[in-house]
Amino acid sequence: MPHIRMRGLPQEAVIDLSRDLLDTLAARCNVSAEGFTLDWVPSISYRHGEVDRDFVQVEVLWFPKDPETHHVVEQDIRQAILSVYSSAKHISIMFTALTPSYYYRDGHHF
């Protein structure tokens, strides 16, 4: 926890991101990088009947954080994406706050 899902990126870009991004975010959030997951979600977007490679979508599922943490984590993710996939023209990063008592890992909720 947190869980990060990425769409609109080549798999190789997400592999590159996995090398440093989780450590960066863990340090930013004062948690262990081992708790993070980073998923590549293969998808193809279309616009006007053609493949659209301009949009990248990132979902971050985590326990509630303050607005400043959202802001700095968004910047960290955006900069990391642009460093491995400079052709991204639009990057949407969406945060979803999970309720700890509804989240279970290995049979135990937080």
Side-chain angles (χ1 to χ4, degrees):
M1 170 55 103
H3 304 296
I4 302 170
R5 299 178 188 146
M6 297 190 167
R7 290 179 174 78
L9 289 168
Q11 184 176 15
E12 296 76 21
V14 179
I15 291 168
D16 287 346
L17 289 168
S18 73
R19 290 184 174 91
D20 297 316
L21 180 60
L22 301 183
D23 290 331
T24 298
L25 298 180
R28 181 77 72 190
C29 296
N30 297 315
V31 298
S32 168
E34 297 306 313
F36 279 77
T37 62
L38 177 59
D39 296 332
W40 172 64
V41 180
S43 65
I44 301 172
S45 295
Y46 296 91
R47 186 174 305 279
H48 307 295
E50 296 184 14
V51 173
D52 185 349
R53 291 184 171 79
D54 293 341
F55 286 87
V56 173
Q57 293 183 358
V58 179
E59 297 173 81
V60 180
L61 292 82
W62 61 0
F63 296 141
K65 305 279 189 273
D66 62 88
E68 179 60 23
T69 301
H70 287 182
H71 181 70
V72 295
V73 166
E74 186 278 338
Q75 289 180 335
D76 288 341
I77 294 171
R78 177 179 302 280
Q79 289 171 2
I81 289 171
L82 290 172
S83 75
V84 298
Y85 191 65
S86 60
S87 62
K89 293 182 181 167
H90 306 285
I91 302 171
S92 296
I93 301 173
M94 301 159 275
F95 295 94
T96 300
L98 302 175
T99 303
S101 63
Y102 292 174
Y103 181 87
Y104 288 77
R105 180 184 296 158
D106 300 328
H108 304 281
H109 71 76
F110 288 76

